[in-house]
Amino acid sequence: MRHLRLFPALALAAACLAATGQKLPSAPPPAWTPGPSAFADPLSNPRPRPAQEPPVQEPPAPALSPSQPILTMFPHSMTARYWISGQANVILQGHLAFPAKYSGPNSLTDWAQSATTHVLTLYTGYELTPTTEIFLDLENATGDGIGNGNGLAGYSNLDAVRTAQGVVLSRAPYVARFMLRQVIPLSHDRVDADRDELHLATRLPARRIELRVGKFSLADFFDVNTWGSDSHLQFMNWTVDNNGAYDYAADTRGYTDGAIVSYDARAWTVRFAEALMPKAANGRFLDADLARARADNLEFVDRGNLIGHRSGVLRVLGYLNHADMGNYQDAINAYLAARTPTPNIVATRRQGRHRYGFGLNFEQAITPRLGAFGRLGWSDGRNESFCYTEDDRTIELGAFAPGASWHRPADRAGVAFVMNGIAGAHQRYLALGGLGFLLGDGHLTYGHEKIVESFYTAHLWRGLFASYDFQRIVDPGYNQARGPVAISSGRLHVDF
């Protein structure tokens, strides 16, 4: 388990707390599962990895209160200063043999296979004051993904534990999140807010600054989508649940150390995050030297009646990563000059290189029982994919329906289409036999990776849910010489 770092952002947190008369304490994702009333409008379904903006509703849904049922095995207090909850998520996933003209070290294995993953998480939080909260989450992720987690840019199971530079991670529990949240009021009027594992206050200033410092996942707060961010009750694919071209800073397990500051108004939010990058691509250890390696993230969120007087959300994202990155063209040139036996991105790494990109994320209520969502993503693709997946271009469109239409209000169903791509130098690097941290068939007949995913989640009892998920992936790993592959999954999820 990696030790938590203290870095300059803690000083900023201390200053903010001092300004509000509070003391600094010395010491994302399972879904919040709403009761039937929360499905009156699609946008009233709270996000599994909650963003800091309250969801927009049309018409306004009743505020969360102790009298409204939450679908968990045990009730949670909506008024206590503490929060304790947990979740268990088990996914059995498999596919039949599929055609492949050739395979390589990082190919999705083409014979029939199955694999199971397990994720257990304990969430704890405590309100130090009405404006100061602290969170500590413990997690245990075990099991393996099909193909050992390789061979797909849009990998089929977000819970799969990857290897780091070929080394299998420890199966022991670890600290997933350890962070401080500070709210700085900018107005006297208050708005209702959902209470969950990352947010404890149920009333917040309508205008405010929020600061978070510590260990977290950037995907808890950036590029969140109500219907396309929940791998425990909704979609499972990496590039459905997140923007594949958003190479967000994270260690192998998906977490980082950093600070997030946001300005929240009634109808819009802007947030900025400074986070630590791993020392190597898909690495276990983070680089604490912000002068040479860091991730800058900026997102603007607009909420309102966007189309046809129905609720919607639009998010615009930009990021810039600085790290010890390799360059695809340099690796190709070294190979063509016979300096390396195959293109080797690792041999070209140089401190101070950067990778940047942009994202567009939307969700829109079409009817009171149907929502649409989607993403566009682009990154420059010159330097190596470093943190999330090997994806430089992505487009996603999907639809989501709660079960109220068929008298199963806690059920849900959805379908999504994603097309992923990579930049020209990245294509040639793989075609010449180069390896990334996820992809590398030894050759490449390039084609866009195309994914269709559908799911149905049924509520069984209290906090117990079961799901079936189907994914069809054409040109897996951008290779027309392999696939298509059809992947079926069964999932059991419990919220405590």
Side-chain angles (χ1 to χ4, degrees):
M1 185 186 301
R2 176 174 56 82
H3 294 292
L4 298 177
R5 297 174 176 84
L6 296 178
F7 42 86
L10 287 175
L12 177 60
C16 291
L17 291 174
T20 57
Q22 310 300 334
K23 295 182 179 179
L24 184 68
S26 58
W32 175 85
T33 50
S37 62
F39 287 89
D41 182 286
L43 284 176
S44 65
N45 179 14
R47 292 183 264 287
R49 289 175 294 182
Q52 290 167 298
E53 74 273 13
V56 177
Q57 300 162 345
E58 182 196 30
L64 185 65
S65 68
S67 62
Q68 289 180 281
I70 297 178
L71 299 181
T72 59
M73 301 303 290
F74 310 108
H76 296 155
S77 171
M78 296 294 109
T79 58
R81 297 182 67 176
Y82 62 87
W83 176 276
I84 300 176
S85 67
Q87 62 88 25
N89 204 61
V90 179
I91 296 175
L92 171 62
Q93 193 168 77
H95 65 75
L96 300 176
F98 63 88
K101 294 181 180 179
Y102 51 82
S103 298
N106 286 351
S107 296
L108 178 68
T109 44
D110 57 345
W111 55 81
Q113 61 183 299
S114 63
T116 305
T117 58
H118 326 84
V119 175
L120 304 174
T121 311
L122 174 67
Y123 299 90
T124 66
Y126 189 76
E127 288 186 276
L128 299 173
T129 75
T131 58
T132 308
E133 302 166 0
I134 191 167
F135 302 88
L136 173 63
D137 301 340
L138 302 177
E139 194 166 80
N140 187 32
T142 58
D144 297 296
I146 56 173
N148 297 316
N150 293 325
L152 296 169
Y155 191 72
S156 56
N157 181 0
L158 195 60
D159 282 358
V161 180
R162 301 188 299 197
T163 61
Q165 292 87 52
V167 178
V168 178
L169 295 177
S170 168
R171 300 304 173 96
Y174 53 90
V175 175
R177 300 173 185 85
F178 180 42
M179 61 182 162
L180 175 78
R181 179 195 188 193
Q182 177 64 45
V183 177
I184 303 173
L186 299 179
S187 65
H188 295 292
D189 51 329
R190 295 291 189 266
V191 294
D192 292 330
D194 290 328
R195 180 180 171 95
D196 55 41
E197 62 272 10
L198 298 182
H199 307 79
L200 300 186
T202 57
R203 295 281 291 171
L204 290 169
R207 290 191 304 109
R208 62 191 181 277
I209 292 174
E210 290 198 21
L211 176 69
R212 288 182 186 261
V213 180
K215 183 179 182 181
F216 50 78
S217 172
L218 281 171
D220 288 336
F221 306 103
F222 287 79
D223 188 46
V224 177
N225 191 286
T226 302
W227 305 307
S229 286
D230 181 0
S231 64
H232 290 167
L233 288 172
Q234 296 171 184
F235 298 98
M236 299 182 187
N237 191 280
W238 288 12
T239 54
V240 175
D241 286 329
N242 295 293
N243 187 327
Y246 178 27
D247 201 20
Y248 66 87
D251 62 14
T252 309
R253 294 192 184 278
Y255 298 99
T256 186
D257 296 341
I260 303 173
V261 60
S262 67
Y263 173 83
D264 289 85
R266 288 183 181 274
W268 57 274
T269 298
V270 61
R271 62 175 61 92
F272 175 80
E274 193 80 9
L276 300 187
M277 290 285 288
K279 292 183 177 181
N282 189 38
R284 292 178 293 166
F285 305 107
L286 301 177
D287 192 336
D289 188 345
L290 291 175
R292 69 182 181 189
R294 64 188 183 277
D296 310 317
N297 303 264
L298 180 66
E299 184 177 51
F300 176 78
V301 182
D302 182 43
R303 303 175 292 273
N305 297 331
L306 301 183
I307 300 176
H309 304 290
R310 294 192 178 275
S311 303
V313 183
L314 180 67
R315 303 173 181 89
V316 181
L317 171 73
Y319 75 93
L320 174 62
N321 292 344
H322 312 254
D324 184 19
M325 296 178 182
N327 180 272
Y328 292 113
Q329 191 59 51
D330 285 356
I332 293 169
N333 293 342
Y335 166 71
L336 295 178
R339 294 196 297 272
T340 58
T342 58
N344 184 358
I345 195 78
V346 175
T348 69
R349 285 177 179 165
R350 191 175 69 202
Q351 201 74 55
R353 283 194 170 128
H354 60 264
R355 180 181 177 91
Y356 66 92
F358 305 94
L360 184 68
N361 172 329
F362 81 90
E363 55 193 71
Q364 175 63 48
I366 304 302
T367 74
R369 296 291 182 266
L370 179 66
F373 68 96
R375 291 181 173 95
L376 286 173
W378 179 94
S379 69
D380 64 304
R382 294 179 301 167
N383 296 323
E384 67 178 313
S385 301
F386 213 75
C387 301
Y388 187 50
T389 189
E390 296 191 50
D391 190 359
D392 303 324
R393 316 281 189 266
T394 189
I395 182 171
E396 173 188 5
L397 289 172
F400 177 92
S405 297
W406 52 93
H407 309 293
R408 295 274 304 173
D411 290 8
R412 59 200 72 185
V415 61
F417 169 77
V418 177
M419 184 166 66
N420 300 316
I422 50 177
H426 196 168
Q427 295 176 28
R428 195 175 183 204
Y429 172 80
L430 294 176
L432 292 172
L435 298 179
F437 67 82
L438 284 176
L439 303 181
D441 298 328
H443 188 58
L444 183 69
T445 306
Y446 181 76
H448 289 92
E449 185 180 77
K450 295 168 282 291
I451 302 166
V452 175
E453 180 177 8
S454 59
F455 78 91
Y456 187 93
T457 297
H459 175 232
L460 303 181
W461 177 71
R462 291 192 177 180
L464 181 62
F465 296 82
S467 306
Y468 174 74
D469 180 278
F470 178 80
Q471 301 176 45
R472 187 174 191 271
I473 303 177
V474 177
D475 301 337
Y478 310 110
N479 202 337
Q480 294 179 356
R482 311 189 82 249
V485 56
I487 301 172
S488 291
S489 306
R491 173 177 54 194
L492 189 67
H493 178 82
V494 185
D495 276 311
F496 300 99

